[in-house]
Amino acid sequence: MYLVQKATQVTVDDAELRRLYAYPDPEHPDPRCHVRVNMVSSLDGAANRDGASAGLGGDGDKRIFGVLRDLADVVLVGSGTVTGEGYGPIDADPSDPTLPTLAIVSGSLSLDPDSEAVRAPQTTVLTCSSAPEDRRRRLVDAGATLVDCGGDNVELPRALAHLASRGRWRVLSEGGPGLLGRLAAADLVDELCLTIGPTMLAGSAGRIAHGDDEIDPRTMTRDHVLADDEGFLFTRWSRATDDR
């Protein structure tokens, strides 16, 4: 155990942030997806405030959020997060493969066909063949791109394999808690970037991950902890290198 003194503080610029959060080199010749999850919580573990995670962050969190998106090939989110957080489209140029695209996981296809995020040309909706046909038709008619990744539900390994096949192996999952719970249950989380805010909320807000069943404990390795003058902590955790 050791104490980190204030005297050890070092200012971190954007170039250093990109180095600290750089993805590992891809596996060749056919890289699998590297799944990084970015979440925020209060000091007492609440994953949202007034129904949205945006109320928990600060300027430093927004800065890291931007860097993580810049480094990713694809932003992976659940349909509830798209709706609840008011997601817009990610502006991606199809001629520039270095810009991230948006991938939405939705087995029920309970998405608004008028949502610009859903029908943007570079957005992919990862769904399953049992999704309601009427919802499928409405989304397709609105211009959405749907890809079936399973029969009765969205099989996340198949969804990630599809993204990898399109060269989108640097995955940034922004939640929500249900999707993170499923990724963790399937042992697909390679990194967790967790911002911890300096507030206590109590109440009934859920955790950053939830699911129907508990899973075997998965120990992560601490890569780094950053802090700002507003009291936020920005942590990065990775699975052990021999844990695949």
Side-chain angles (χ1 to χ4, degrees):
M1 183 179 297
Y2 52 88
L3 175 67
V4 178
Q5 301 281 2
K6 277 193 172 184
T8 64
Q9 289 182 350
V10 177
T11 299
V12 178
D13 60 16
D14 284 351
E16 180 63 7
L17 277 181
R18 292 179 69 88
R19 187 193 69 79
L20 287 170
Y21 287 101
Y23 281 84
D25 291 333
E27 300 172 9
H28 293 288
D30 182 23
R32 66 168 184 83
C33 282
H34 183 96
V35 179
R36 167 181 288 164
V37 179
N38 185 32
M39 302 291 282
V40 60
S41 78
S42 68
L43 196 59
D44 56 340
N48 64 75
R49 182 178 182 182
D50 298 327
S53 62
L56 297 173
D59 290 340
D61 183 55
K62 293 176 182 176
R63 182 180 168 201
I64 290 178
F65 178 91
V67 168
L68 295 185
R69 278 203 171 183
D70 286 345
L71 293 171
D73 296 320
V74 58
V75 175
L76 182 72
V77 289
S79 58
T81 296
V82 171
T83 301
E85 302 281 350
Y87 263 59
I90 295 179
D91 295 327
D93 182 349
S95 66
D96 187 352
T98 66
L99 296 177
T101 59
L102 181 65
I104 303 171
V105 177
S106 180
S108 66
L109 292 182
S110 54
L111 293 161
D112 181 0
D114 293 326
S115 165
E116 293 185 8
V118 172
R119 57 195 179 113
Q122 299 307 309
T123 296
T124 302
V125 179
L126 305 169
T127 186
C128 54
S129 59
S130 64
E133 190 58 37
D134 57 335
R135 296 179 182 177
R136 180 187 297 271
R137 186 168 53 253
R138 283 198 297 269
L139 289 170
V140 171
D141 289 346
T145 301
L146 275 58
V147 177
D148 287 338
C149 300
D152 294 333
N153 53 64
V154 182
E155 298 174 14
L156 292 177
R158 287 182 60 176
L160 294 176
H162 169 75
L163 296 176
S165 73
R166 295 171 58 85
R168 301 285 176 179
W169 66 271
R170 300 176 186 87
V171 176
L172 172 63
S173 176
E174 295 175 353
L179 179 56
L180 175 51
R182 290 183 59 198
L183 287 168
D187 198 19
L188 296 172
V189 177
D190 294 297
E191 293 184 30
L192 172 62
C193 297
L194 176 62
T195 295
I196 303 170
T199 55
M200 296 185 68
L201 297 178
S204 59
R207 304 184 304 173
I208 65 169
H210 67 72
D212 295 332
D213 302 301
E214 290 188 8
I215 62 174
D216 292 335
R218 304 242 163 78
T219 301
M220 307 287 279
T221 299
R222 185 188 67 231
D223 293 323
H224 65 244
V225 178
L226 306 176
D228 66 10
D229 291 336
E230 296 180 359
F232 286 84
L233 295 178
F234 311 100
T235 68
R236 180 187 179 197
W237 308 81
S238 297
R239 67 161 67 238
T241 55
D242 59 350
D243 196 26
R244 270 272 178 199

